[in-house]
Amino acid sequence: MEVRAAGLGMLRVVCLFAAFDAVWLLDSGMLFPRESPSREVKELNGLWDFRADDSTNRNQSFERAWYKKRLAETGPVIDMPVPASYNDITQDAALRDFIGWVWYEREVVVPARWIADEGTRVVLRVGSAHYFSIVWVNGVKVTQHAGGHLPFEVEIGSLIREDPTTPCRITIAVNNTLSLETLPPGKIQYMEDRTKYPEGFFVQYIYFDFFNYAGIHRPVLLYTTPKAYVDDITVVTDFLDNTGLVKYKVSVQGAATGTIKVTLKDKDGRSVASSSKPSGVLKVEDVNLWWPYLMHENPGYLYSMEVHLIATDGRSTYEDMYTLPVGIRSVAVTSTQFLINNKPFYFHGVNKHEDSDIRGKGFDWPLIVKDFNLLKWMGANSFRTSHYPYAEEILQMCDRHGIVVIDECPGVGIKDIRSFGNASLAHHLDVMDELVRRDKNHPSVVMWSVANEPASEMPPAEFYFETLIKHTKDLDPTRPVTYITDSNYARDKGAPFVDVICVNSYFSWYHDSGHLELIPLQLNNQFENWYGKYKKPIIQSEYGADAVPGLHSDPPVMFTEEYQNIVLQSYHSVFDQKRKQYVIGELIWNFADFMTVQGLTRVVGNKKGVFTRQRQPKRAAFILKERYWRLANETGRLGLSPSNHQCHAVKYPW
Ligand code: BDP
């Protein structure tokens, strides 16, 4: 038996590593900017000059070439913090709801040495800006990028060296207009009825349930590398018995010849494996595997892979160092289970948003750390990045704390048949390229989600999702792929292609409102139908109910905390039956209340959070906490049972 298991393990490793060579098709990397002996980072966060182009045709800024001079010379500017959404920073409702171009500008002092040293690359990087961005340096266009939530960068060293005496003026124009071909899709409609709307009045329709926050959402920075540099690193990991296997590939740019030294170090800085080849397999004896939070006493174990390059471009010699955190783990899916390191993993977690008061979707360390503390307090072991990629810093936290991630692209609200066309698909494939390129090395990321609740019953959905999912698997054959389906779409054309069925349902909320007693019947049927049809493991990827904090009623009525609690508990009783069969996870909608567009069903935003937007618990948070810690003890494989409870018990952290 053991011999057979070992043989199967070896087969898995061979298949996994064989697939590796055929993939990672992208031609350049997007390594997270890190300081090292050869690399410096200069953050450009803080106050930028800001001006919205509110001209009637929304185009005056281009007609008048605002990028050519200082923004303050084009008209009145205001202070705008970066990173932050601009929407909630002022008292101006017109700016909160603004659609069109906004302009950010800042002058930067570039260290003289960076300019003087021709062997230094100076890279300008924007962590994310929503949605379409154009960047100029000293009035010269240097790059543009379509899509929020993902980084883009450009080398500007040669440009700033042209005239080292001019200050480096960075101008970024950002446009939040969404079309049927963007991700997420949206639509602008001009209103023609002059008895109701003035000339030029338009609205942007969106098909998703969160505020369309805009602006520069994540850090902007300059960083340096030598002219010959480590451009990308890819790692795929597995293990056999006690030996960890790290298959890696380093790609280098700017060098004619060079030597590479790769050293894998453990947490104490001891070298555990090394190589002098640009690609290969590192073997780690007595490996410390990367385990999820609550599945092991020592979750989130990370090694450091130090890549040291010495290269020459024919004239000079350059030295570059980059250190990548590496977690060694495996992921696999069977028809009824999700396996991490060959052990069944049950997702007990949350869906989140990047969303908070004042900052909107702006990156904010205090908020991020608070959220992790709340996740761990609750006993959550996972979350889905609903409905778009989150900041890389958040994924790094997940790596370190062992929080498992379903990494979702911004394919939310694909509801119009025109959003299944070729242009949309091409953009969706590009976005998946960018997402996988950015997040491929995170051990916490265990599955890709290519969309949320698309109109997957429409005829074009079949080709669209077959292409999209196949492409994602070509990019990364090591992780399962899913998209999130709405339980109403009984005729789901994409489901045959996914590895895991993720299903959202809101019984007794959007249907049969007030009829809590129907939840067990309807949920049970939901699971049986999906499993019966596809024989794939299922995650309840959303469920929940709005609760206005402090609103009470017994017997429960909608929008009270009691109603939210009963919804959760009714779902939980069915999960408890089905998790013994093929249900592999439950993710509450939502971790915290979040802002939405104004509408009849939203009282200052979506209130399905188990925490308020200010991160205070509703009663439901305590229900989940009690449940998640219990699940951790039952499913976490810590060796817990009543008899050995003393030796390994997961302790409540209070
Ligand atoms: C789901 C959507 C999510 C919404 C939620 C709701 O995926 O974005 O916020 O419904 O209505 O269908 O609360």
Side-chain angles (χ1 to χ4, degrees):
M1 192 65 186
E2 270 187 6
V3 172
R4 186 162 168 270
L8 285 179
M10 178 57 95
L11 186 66
R12 189 192 69 229
V13 171
V14 169
C15 293
L16 190 73
F17 284 180
F20 176 92
D21 290 327
V23 295
W24 311 118
L25 309 167
L26 301 169
D27 49 7
S28 71
M30 189 54 80
L31 290 174
F32 185 78
R34 291 175 195 281
E35 290 180 322
S36 82
S38 60
R39 293 173 176 233
E40 288 164 80
V41 175
K42 182 180 166 77
E43 289 209 343
L44 306 183
N45 300 338
L47 292 186
W48 289 52
D49 279 352
F50 176 92
R51 189 176 174 204
D53 176 356
D54 53 8
S55 57
T56 318
N57 69 358
R58 290 290 193 267
N59 206 33
Q60 211 176 73
S61 48
F62 283 90
E63 289 158 7
R64 299 196 177 162
W66 285 7
Y67 50 88
K68 283 204 172 144
K69 46 187 167 194
R70 287 182 51 236
L71 200 54
E73 290 171 30
T74 70
V77 293
I78 58 171
D79 286 344
M80 189 55 69
V82 170
S85 301
Y86 60 73
N87 310 75
D88 292 343
I89 298 294
T90 72
Q91 295 309 100
D92 182 359
L95 183 59
R96 181 192 63 202
D97 300 329
F98 184 78
I99 308 290
W101 289 103
V102 298
W103 292 69
Y104 288 78
E105 184 213 71
R106 171 167 171 176
E107 275 185 10
V108 178
V109 179
V110 182
R113 199 195 52 73
W114 293 11
I115 300 178
D117 179 2
E118 300 256 344
T120 294
R121 291 172 67 244
V122 181
V123 182
L124 170 63
R125 175 179 168 117
V126 179
S128 84
H130 190 85
Y131 167 79
F132 184 79
S133 313
I134 307 180
V135 183
W136 295 262
V137 171
N138 295 334
V140 178
K141 181 175 166 184
V142 288
T143 193
Q144 64 179 45
H145 183 258
H149 320 289
L150 288 165
F152 53 95
E153 61 180 38
V154 56
E155 205 279 322
I156 61 166
S158 37
L159 187 67
I160 53 184
R161 269 177 212 121
E162 275 172 17
D163 183 1
T165 57
T166 352
C168 174
R169 180 167 50 85
I170 299 175
T171 312
I172 306 182
V174 187
N175 193 326
N176 61 347
T177 308
L178 300 174
S179 76
L180 290 169
E181 279 137 25
T182 57
L183 278 190
K187 193 170 74 182
I188 297 287
Q189 186 162 334
Y190 280 86
M191 302 307 207
E192 307 299 349
D193 182 347
R194 289 288 158 264
T195 64
K196 292 187 181 162
Y197 309 102
E199 173 91 36
F201 187 92
F202 67 91
V203 284
Q204 169 155 287
Y205 288 115
I206 51 175
Y207 311 102
F208 51 86
D209 182 38
F210 50 91
F211 195 88
N212 188 31
Y213 278 114
I216 302 181
H217 283 158
R218 299 189 188 143
V220 179
L221 42 90
L222 291 176
Y223 73 91
T224 65
T225 75
K227 227 168 152 187
Y229 62 100
V230 174
D231 177 53
D232 200 10
I233 305 171
T234 303
V235 297
V236 169
T237 65
D238 209 324
F239 62 97
L240 272 176
D241 302 324
N242 258 355
T243 308
L245 303 167
V246 179
K247 175 135 183 171
Y248 71 93
K249 186 169 184 171
V250 176
S251 47
V252 169
Q253 291 279 356
T257 56
T259 59
I260 281 185
K261 173 99 186 169
V262 177
T263 312
L264 196 69
K265 293 187 170 171
D266 68 12
K267 270 213 155 136
D268 303 320
R270 275 190 298 261
S271 166
V272 292
S274 65
S275 163
S276 51
K277 301 218 175 80
S279 60
V281 181
L282 301 173
K283 293 200 174 120
V284 185
E285 300 304 331
D286 291 327
V287 63
N288 275 307
L289 294 178
W290 184 94
W291 287 100
Y293 175 56
L294 301 180
M295 203 173 171
H296 194 267
E297 297 85 343
N298 188 11
Y301 190 96
L302 294 175
Y303 292 87
S304 300
M305 180 186 269
E306 281 181 13
V307 178
H308 188 184
L309 168 76
I310 300 179
T312 156
D313 63 0
R315 280 181 300 168
S316 313
T317 299
Y318 305 95
E319 206 171 334
D320 192 19
M321 282 268 279
Y322 189 89
T323 303
L324 179 77
V326 172
I328 302 178
R329 57 107 181 94
S330 69
V331 168
V333 173
T334 72
S335 64
T336 56
Q337 289 181 318
F338 198 97
L339 304 173
I340 295 184
N341 300 336
N342 301 336
K343 299 265 193 305
F345 175 75
Y346 187 77
F347 295 78
H348 43 90
V350 304
N351 292 276
K352 292 186 90 260
H353 264 299
E354 289 183 318
D355 174 272
S356 69
D357 286 333
I358 304 172
R359 293 145 187 82
K361 292 202 174 307
F363 178 91
D364 183 46
W365 271 122
L367 180 78
I368 291 170
V369 176
K370 176 74 176 173
D371 281 3
F372 271 80
N373 287 331
L374 292 176
L375 288 171
K376 294 178 84 172
W377 171 87
M378 266 171 96
N381 64 1
S382 51
F383 66 79
R384 165 164 78 109
T385 69
S386 45
H387 292 307
Y388 38 78
Y390 293 177
E392 289 161 277
E393 292 84 343
I394 296 179
L395 297 181
Q396 289 162 6
M397 289 280 282
C398 290
D399 293 343
R400 289 178 35 235
H401 291 272
I403 302 291
V404 169
V405 176
I406 300 172
D407 200 353
E408 187 155 293
C409 91
V412 55
I414 307 178
K415 305 283 189 196
D416 189 302
I417 197 152
R418 287 165 291 175
S419 294
F420 285 101
N422 289 343
S424 297
L425 179 57
H427 180 53
H428 208 147
L429 297 177
D430 286 347
V431 170
M432 287 314 299
D433 288 352
E434 288 182 32
L435 175 63
V436 173
R437 175 175 66 171
R438 191 195 72 160
D439 292 348
K440 61 188 174 183
N441 292 325
H442 288 286
S444 56
V445 173
V446 299
M447 181 153 68
W448 305 111
S449 162
V450 298
N452 178 69
E453 295 183 0
S456 51
E457 80 287 8
M458 287 183 177
E462 184 164 351
F463 173 73
Y464 192 96
F465 282 104
E466 185 175 8
T467 312
L468 186 60
I469 292 171
K470 186 176 171 312
H471 180 79
T472 308
K473 289 187 179 181
D474 284 347
L475 286 170
D476 178 6
T478 72
R479 289 180 177 89
V481 181
T482 190
Y483 70 87
I484 314 297
T485 195
D486 180 330
S487 68
N488 294 314
Y489 297 144
R491 305 179 63 75
D492 196 299
K493 298 206 179 295
F497 311 111
V498 300
D499 298 303
V500 172
I501 304 275
C502 285
V503 54
N504 297 347
S505 58
Y506 289 91
F507 302 127
S508 87
W509 192 260
Y510 291 117
H511 324 275
D512 303 302
S513 308
H515 286 283
L516 291 161
E517 75 281 11
L518 296 178
I519 293 176
L521 174 73
Q522 296 188 354
L523 185 57
N524 195 64
N525 283 335
Q526 166 198 287
F527 285 138
E528 290 295 293
N529 287 343
W530 283 99
Y531 191 75
K533 225 183 268 174
Y534 299 108
K535 298 281 182 293
K536 293 178 185 182
I538 304 180
I539 296 177
Q540 182 75 38
S541 40
E542 288 181 26
Y543 70 106
D546 287 72
V548 177
L551 211 54
H552 296 287
S553 167
D554 183 40
V557 294
M558 292 173 77
F559 291 100
T560 63
E561 295 204 31
E562 286 74 14
Y563 195 93
Q564 185 184 39
N565 295 345
I566 305 280
V567 168
L568 266 51
Q569 285 164 335
S570 308
Y571 269 78
H572 296 165
S573 63
V574 181
F575 296 158
D576 280 338
Q577 293 156 30
K578 298 296 173 195
R579 68 188 169 86
K580 299 187 184 100
Q581 301 169 28
Y582 49 77
V583 168
I584 57 165
E586 53 188 86
L587 304 175
I588 187 77
W589 190 264
N590 189 286
F591 171 73
D593 294 344
F594 57 91
M595 194 45 68
T596 63
V597 70
Q598 297 182 56
L600 288 177
T601 57
R602 298 288 177 254
V603 188
V604 195
N606 188 311
K607 294 278 187 286
K608 293 195 185 67
V610 297
F611 295 97
T612 64
R613 201 183 193 205
Q614 295 71 36
R615 277 41 180 187
Q616 295 306 321
K618 300 179 194 172
R619 185 67 215 148
F622 293 95
I623 290 179
L624 281 184
K625 181 177 121 193
E626 205 279 320
R627 174 171 178 78
Y628 284 179
W629 280 95
R630 188 161 47 75
L631 285 173
N633 279 320
E634 278 175 34
T635 65
R637 311 282 144 181
L638 277 169
L640 288 185
S641 67
S643 58
N644 65 2
H645 203 259
Q646 294 310 316
C647 35
H648 290 301
V650 179
K651 296 268 174 10
Y652 283 69
W654 56 91

